[in-house]
Amino acid sequence: QVQLVESGGGLVQPGGSLRLSCVTSGFIFSNYDMLWYRQAPGKERELVAVIRTTSSRTVYADSVKGRFTISRDNAKNTLYLQMNSLKPEDTAVYYCFRPIDYWGQGTQVTVSS
């Protein structure tokens, strides 16, 4: 059975950094593009970043470009999101997603002084 388990969220001051992880199981991780989404209170879920199967191509939302880095370790079946220069508007629940319909439970990121 497919499982996606995020971790690494927390409370951080503006300008700080966090690294999110998504440990997966139940499928051949290296065969799938993987995505990070986020959902802020009262807002729709939005795409943050995409990484192709071989890590050769990544795509970012304009709002995080230059600050966030998506990566993967196919040997560990794990997806990552390195988040630097965090802003209060990055506050949200962050989810990893495996197309076409598998979501993790989410991890809360709060950016506040």
Side-chain angles (χ1 to χ4, degrees):
Q1 125 213 25
V2 173
Q3 288 192 317
L4 308 171
V5 180
E6 301 98 333
S7 64
L11 173 64
V12 63
Q13 291 188 343
S17 298
L18 284 174
R19 188 194 196 203
L20 306 184
S21 299
C22 174
V23 177
T24 74
S25 60
F27 65 100
I28 302 174
F29 180 72
S30 58
N31 284 357
Y32 289 85
D33 297 345
M34 294 295 296
L35 298 82
W36 284 101
Y37 280 81
R38 67 185 181 185
Q39 187 165 20
K43 295 188 176 181
E44 293 188 356
R45 196 168 293 190
E46 66 169 343
L47 178 63
V48 175
V50 182
I51 187 166
R52 300 301 300 271
T53 54
T54 60
S55 305
S56 60
R57 185 175 180 224
T58 56
V59 179
Y60 297 92
D62 287 344
S63 58
V64 307
K65 206 171 292 183
R67 300 187 298 121
F68 290 11
T69 302
I70 188 171
S71 62
R72 65 192 296 160
D73 185 335
N74 287 342
K76 296 182 178 180
N77 298 328
T78 303
L79 176 71
Y80 302 100
L81 186 68
Q82 177 67 43
M83 306 186 295
N84 299 329
S85 302
L86 282 161
K87 304 175 181 180
E89 52 263 44
D90 295 318
T91 295
V93 178
Y94 284 73
Y95 300 90
C96 62
F97 175 71
R98 194 218 84 172
I100 56 174
D101 55 3
Y102 288 100
W103 295 90
Q105 84 288 351
T107 185
Q108 175 71 48
V109 172
T110 303
V111 185
S112 175
S113 55

